[in-house]
mmCIF file with all atom_site columns, all heavy atoms in Angstrom:
data_model
loop_
_atom_site.group_PDB
_atom_site.id
_atom_site.type_symbol
_atom_site.label_atom_id
_atom_site.label_alt_id
_atom_site.label_comp_id
_atom_site.label_asym_id
_atom_site.label_entity_id
_atom_site.label_seq_id
_atom_site.pdbx_PDB_ins_code
_atom_site.Cartn_x
_atom_site.Cartn_y
_atom_site.Cartn_z
_atom_site.occupancy
_atom_site.B_iso_or_equiv
_atom_site.pdbx_formal_charge
_atom_site.auth_seq_id
_atom_site.auth_comp_id
_atom_site.auth_asym_id
_atom_site.auth_atom_id
_atom_site.pdbx_PDB_model_num
ATOM 1  N N   . PHE A 1 255 ? 55.208 18.259 32.256 1.00 0.00 ? 255 PHE A N   1
ATOM 2  C CA  . PHE A 1 255 ? 53.819 17.807 32.189 1.00 0.00 ? 255 PHE A CA  1
ATOM 3  C C   . PHE A 1 255 ? 52.934 18.588 33.145 1.00 0.00 ? 255 PHE A C   1
ATOM 4  O O   . PHE A 1 255 ? 53.387 18.956 34.244 1.00 0.00 ? 255 PHE A O   1
ATOM 5  C CB  . PHE A 1 255 ? 53.754 16.326 32.535 1.00 0.00 ? 255 PHE A CB  1
ATOM 6  C CG  . PHE A 1 255 ? 54.319 15.404 31.518 1.00 0.00 ? 255 PHE A CG  1
ATOM 7  C CD1 . PHE A 1 255 ? 55.020 14.284 31.892 1.00 0.00 ? 255 PHE A CD1 1
ATOM 8  C CD2 . PHE A 1 255 ? 54.148 15.656 30.162 1.00 0.00 ? 255 PHE A CD2 1
ATOM 9  C CE1 . PHE A 1 255 ? 55.549 13.399 30.962 1.00 0.00 ? 255 PHE A CE1 1
ATOM 10 C CE2 . PHE A 1 255 ? 54.669 14.796 29.206 1.00 0.00 ? 255 PHE A CE2 1
ATOM 11 C CZ  . PHE A 1 255 ? 55.385 13.680 29.591 1.00 0.00 ? 255 PHE A CZ  1
ATOM 12 N N   . SER A 1 256 ? 51.715 18.811 32.718 1.00 0.00 ? 256 SER A N   1
ATOM 13 C CA  . SER A 1 256 ? 50.717 19.410 33.663 1.00 0.00 ? 256 SER A CA  1
ATOM 14 C C   . SER A 1 256 ? 50.227 18.340 34.622 1.00 0.00 ? 256 SER A C   1
ATOM 15 O O   . SER A 1 256 ? 50.482 17.143 34.447 1.00 0.00 ? 256 SER A O   1
ATOM 16 C CB  . SER A 1 256 ? 49.522 19.912 32.837 1.00 0.00 ? 256 SER A CB  1
ATOM 17 O OG  . SER A 1 256 ? 48.836 18.819 32.219 1.00 0.00 ? 256 SER A OG  1
ATOM 18 N N   . ILE A 1 257 ? 49.534 18.769 35.685 1.00 0.00 ? 257 ILE A N   1
ATOM 19 C CA  . ILE A 1 257 ? 49.005 17.849 36.671 1.00 0.00 ? 257 ILE A CA  1
ATOM 20 C C   . ILE A 1 257 ? 48.043 16.875 35.962 1.00 0.00 ? 257 ILE A C   1
ATOM 21 O O   . ILE A 1 257 ? 48.004 15.684 36.268 1.00 0.00 ? 257 ILE A O   1
ATOM 22 C CB  . ILE A 1 257 ? 48.273 18.596 37.798 1.00 0.00 ? 257 ILE A CB  1
ATOM 23 C CG1 . ILE A 1 257 ? 49.292 19.391 38.587 1.00 0.00 ? 257 ILE A CG1 1
ATOM 24 C CG2 . ILE A 1 257 ? 47.536 17.631 38.701 1.00 0.00 ? 257 ILE A CG2 1
ATOM 25 C CD1 . ILE A 1 257 ? 48.661 20.308 39.625 1.00 0.00 ? 257 ILE A CD1 1
ATOM 26 N N   . GLU A 1 258 ? 47.270 17.386 35.004 1.00 0.00 ? 258 GLU A N   1
ATOM 27 C CA  . GLU A 1 258 ? 46.333 16.524 34.269 1.00 0.00 ? 258 GLU A CA  1
ATOM 28 C C   . GLU A 1 258 ? 47.053 15.407 33.542 1.00 0.00 ? 258 GLU A C   1
ATOM 29 O O   . GLU A 1 258 ? 46.653 14.245 33.592 1.00 0.00 ? 258 GLU A O   1
ATOM 30 C CB  . GLU A 1 258 ? 45.488 17.362 33.305 1.00 0.00 ? 258 GLU A CB  1
ATOM 31 C CG  . GLU A 1 258 ? 44.571 18.378 33.933 1.00 0.00 ? 258 GLU A CG  1
ATOM 32 C CD  . GLU A 1 258 ? 45.236 19.732 34.193 1.00 0.00 ? 258 GLU A CD  1
ATOM 33 O OE1 . GLU A 1 258 ? 46.454 19.803 34.162 1.00 0.00 ? 258 GLU A OE1 1
ATOM 34 O OE2 . GLU A 1 258 ? 44.489 20.692 34.450 1.00 0.00 ? 258 GLU A OE2 1
ATOM 35 N N   . GLU A 1 259 ? 48.144 15.775 32.883 1.00 0.00 ? 259 GLU A N   1
ATOM 36 C CA  . GLU A 1 259 ? 48.932 14.777 32.115 1.00 0.00 ? 259 GLU A CA  1
ATOM 37 C C   . GLU A 1 259 ? 49.597 13.780 33.066 1.00 0.00 ? 259 GLU A C   1
ATOM 38 O O   . GLU A 1 259 ? 49.608 12.577 32.818 1.00 0.00 ? 259 GLU A O   1
ATOM 39 C CB  . GLU A 1 259 ? 49.977 15.476 31.249 1.00 0.00 ? 259 GLU A CB  1
ATOM 40 C CG  . GLU A 1 259 ? 49.379 16.243 30.086 1.00 0.00 ? 259 GLU A CG  1
ATOM 41 C CD  . GLU A 1 259 ? 50.453 17.065 29.390 1.00 0.00 ? 259 GLU A CD  1
ATOM 42 O OE1 . GLU A 1 259 ? 51.133 17.859 30.033 1.00 0.00 ? 259 GLU A OE1 1
ATOM 43 O OE2 . GLU A 1 259 ? 50.612 16.874 28.126 1.00 0.00 ? 259 GLU A OE2 1
ATOM 44 N N   . ILE A 1 260 ? 50.164 14.283 34.153 1.00 0.00 ? 260 ILE A N   1
ATOM 45 C CA  . ILE A 1 260 ? 50.817 13.408 35.113 1.00 0.00 ? 260 ILE A CA  1
ATOM 46 C C   . ILE A 1 260 ? 49.818 12.377 35.667 1.00 0.00 ? 260 ILE A C   1
ATOM 47 O O   . ILE A 1 260 ? 50.080 11.190 35.693 1.00 0.00 ? 260 ILE A O   1
ATOM 48 C CB  . ILE A 1 260 ? 51.404 14.233 36.306 1.00 0.00 ? 260 ILE A CB  1
ATOM 49 C CG1 . ILE A 1 260 ? 52.506 15.144 35.853 1.00 0.00 ? 260 ILE A CG1 1
ATOM 50 C CG2 . ILE A 1 260 ? 51.921 13.291 37.406 1.00 0.00 ? 260 ILE A CG2 1
ATOM 51 C CD1 . ILE A 1 260 ? 52.904 16.205 36.871 1.00 0.00 ? 260 ILE A CD1 1
ATOM 52 N N   . SER A 1 261 ? 48.650 12.837 35.980 1.00 0.00 ? 261 SER A N   1
ATOM 53 C CA  . SER A 1 261 ? 47.622 11.980 36.601 1.00 0.00 ? 261 SER A CA  1
ATOM 54 C C   . SER A 1 261 ? 47.124 10.919 35.645 1.00 0.00 ? 261 SER A C   1
ATOM 55 O O   . SER A 1 261 ? 47.050 9.725  35.964 1.00 0.00 ? 261 SER A O   1
ATOM 56 C CB  . SER A 1 261 ? 46.426 12.813 37.122 1.00 0.00 ? 261 SER A CB  1
ATOM 57 O OG  . SER A 1 261 ? 46.877 13.755 38.111 1.00 0.00 ? 261 SER A OG  1
ATOM 58 N N   . THR A 1 262 ? 46.786 11.308 34.430 1.00 0.00 ? 262 THR A N   1
ATOM 59 C CA  . THR A 1 262 ? 46.277 10.349 33.482 1.00 0.00 ? 262 THR A CA  1
ATOM 60 C C   . THR A 1 262 ? 47.340 9.369  33.036 1.00 0.00 ? 262 THR A C   1
ATOM 61 O O   . THR A 1 262 ? 47.048 8.147  32.805 1.00 0.00 ? 262 THR A O   1
ATOM 62 C CB  . THR A 1 262 ? 45.667 11.037 32.256 1.00 0.00 ? 262 THR A CB  1
ATOM 63 O OG1 . THR A 1 262 ? 46.640 12.006 31.706 1.00 0.00 ? 262 THR A OG1 1
ATOM 64 C CG2 . THR A 1 262 ? 44.405 11.804 32.629 1.00 0.00 ? 262 THR A CG2 1
#
Side-chain angles (χ1 to χ4, degrees):
F255 289 142
S256 66
I257 293 172
E258 294 87 346
E259 290 174 303
I260 295 166
S261 300
T262 51

